[in-house]
Amino acid sequence: MDTQNLQAFVEVAESKSFSDAAETLHITQPAVSKRIAALEGQLGCKLFDRISRTVQLTEAGTALLPRAERILNAVQEAKRSIVDLQGEISGELSIGISHHIGLHRLPPVLQAFNNSYPKVHFDIDFMDSEEAYEQVMHGRIELGVVTLDPTESSPLMRQPVWQDDLVVVIAPDHPLAVLDSVNLSTLSQFTAILPGLNTYTGQIIKALFQKHGLKLDVSMETNYLETIKMMVSIGLGWSVLPHTMIDEGLTTLDIADIKLQRTLGYVFHQNRSLSNAANAFVAALNANRDKGQM
């Protein structure tokens, strides 16, 4: 069974789109269709139903998907093991990185690592932390450098690297800026712009207000913290952002007896042997760990 055909099948199944799969694989859409047709011919069954403009797995396709993923992961593991036997730190390193960490925490780590190990080829995807957890769980990437799950309910192995202090922010001319003191009850009466409440950062904020029996008035949600920063700076609402993002365009509010933090770090699957490149990258992350995380 051709692994290229399996890879095309998995990409179409995940994206539910032949064109998106072609873009991911850097081939043409007809080439993807040809690979799927070849796989269907080998198996003697249809793998996808094409209804209108949607692509859905058939019963046979649904049964094949986890097996195809295991086969592709095993092939990748075999390639990596052969490279690692040489003791050389090289080859492809697949990492999922949250947008904020990629902008504010990782650049010096990536630069130093690239200088030390020029034979390592990065395959980096920027994604939400929650998606990175899923990608690691399914073996599609080796490491996730992300906001760690505050509930610690994930079966993945996790290692804290940085502690991110979170602060309540408003525009300098926001009505809250003139008050001598602000508590959570007062804050709940004003419109908020927050990360999605299903995200790990959003869960931290949501849990705080639930703990005090208060409701959040959320007018907008976006997982891009730079977008939230811009919308807060023009007075569209208050939010909670990492302290590292604060500049003169924002005013911070001290909320009595409230200290918000999130933990940033990396996750990997406990049943997957990390490549030489991944182990070297983990060492680079650990070398940059906050003292409080040692």
Side-chain angles (χ1 to χ4, degrees):
M1 192 174 292
D2 193 315
T3 56
Q4 288 187 332
N5 295 346
L6 285 176
Q7 186 65 61
F9 165 72
V10 169
E11 292 297 339
V12 174
E14 290 178 354
S15 65
K16 296 181 173 60
S17 166
F18 278 70
S19 58
D20 288 350
E23 185 175 346
T24 299
L25 295 170
H26 306 293
I27 59 177
T28 64
Q29 186 172 332
V32 172
S33 297
K34 185 176 180 179
R35 291 182 184 183
I36 298 300
L39 186 58
E40 289 177 330
Q42 283 182 308
L43 296 173
C45 60
K46 278 183 68 175
L47 298 173
F48 295 102
D49 285 325
R50 299 161 181 82
I51 303 172
S52 185
R53 295 188 176 183
T54 64
V55 178
Q56 297 178 344
L57 285 168
T58 63
E59 185 176 3
T62 301
L64 176 61
L65 182 57
R67 293 168 174 82
E69 290 178 328
R70 285 198 293 271
I71 291 169
L72 292 172
N73 286 338
V75 170
Q76 190 64 33
E77 186 79 22
K79 290 179 180 178
R80 188 167 54 246
S81 296
I82 292 170
V83 172
D84 289 349
L85 283 174
Q86 303 169 12
E88 186 177 45
I89 298 176
S90 61
E92 186 172 271
L93 176 56
S94 57
I95 311 175
I97 300 175
S98 77
H99 300 276
H100 176 75
I101 292 175
L103 283 173
H104 297 277
R105 295 286 190 172
L106 268 190
V109 179
L110 289 170
Q111 183 179 37
F113 185 89
N114 188 57
N115 291 336
S116 298
Y117 307 107
K119 292 185 178 181
V120 174
H121 171 68
F122 281 110
D123 179 10
I124 294 176
D125 281 326
F126 291 92
M127 60 185 71
D128 292 342
S129 297
E130 298 74 27
E131 182 184 355
Y133 264 77
E134 285 298 312
Q135 297 282 349
V136 173
M137 276 292 299
H138 289 91
R140 297 178 190 128
I141 57 177
E142 277 199 88
L143 295 171
V145 187
V146 293
T147 300
L148 299 181
D149 182 356
T151 66
E152 300 187 25
S153 59
S154 170
L156 297 180
M157 301 297 291
R158 48 179 272 156
Q159 177 60 59
V161 177
W162 304 284
Q163 199 67 43
D164 227 12
D165 290 331
L166 301 173
V167 293
V168 177
V169 293
I170 55 174
D173 58 353
H174 190 281
L176 286 168
V178 300
L179 300 182
D180 293 332
S181 63
V182 177
N183 56 32
L184 279 183
S185 179
T186 303
L187 198 61
S188 69
Q189 298 170 34
F190 289 83
T191 299
I193 303 167
L194 297 175
L197 297 182
N198 61 328
T199 66
Y200 296 146
T201 303
Q203 288 174 28
I204 292 171
I205 302 167
K206 181 180 178 181
L208 173 66
F209 278 77
Q210 286 182 335
K211 178 181 176 181
H212 290 82
L214 298 171
K215 291 185 178 180
L216 281 164
D217 178 11
V218 182
S219 64
M220 285 180 272
E221 292 184 13
T222 174
N223 297 345
Y224 295 99
L225 299 186
E226 295 290 343
T227 301
I228 291 177
K229 178 180 176 180
M230 179 275 295
M231 290 194 290
V232 170
S233 70
I234 61 175
L236 298 186
W238 64 268
S239 191
V240 174
L241 290 174
H243 189 270
T244 53
M245 295 182 66
I246 308 308
D247 58 25
E248 65 278 0
L250 298 172
T251 295
T252 62
L253 293 177
D254 290 327
I255 310 298
D257 300 322
I258 298 298
K259 183 176 177 62
L260 285 174
Q261 287 184 321
R262 64 179 187 172
T263 304
L264 312 179
Y266 59 87
V267 294
F268 60 94
H269 203 295
Q270 60 184 345
N271 294 329
R272 177 174 184 168
S273 299
L274 293 181
S275 64
N276 288 349
N279 278 316
F281 193 72
V282 162
L285 289 170
N286 290 337
N288 282 267
R289 195 182 305 171
D290 285 344
K291 291 182 180 179
Q293 299 296 333
M294 297 297 287

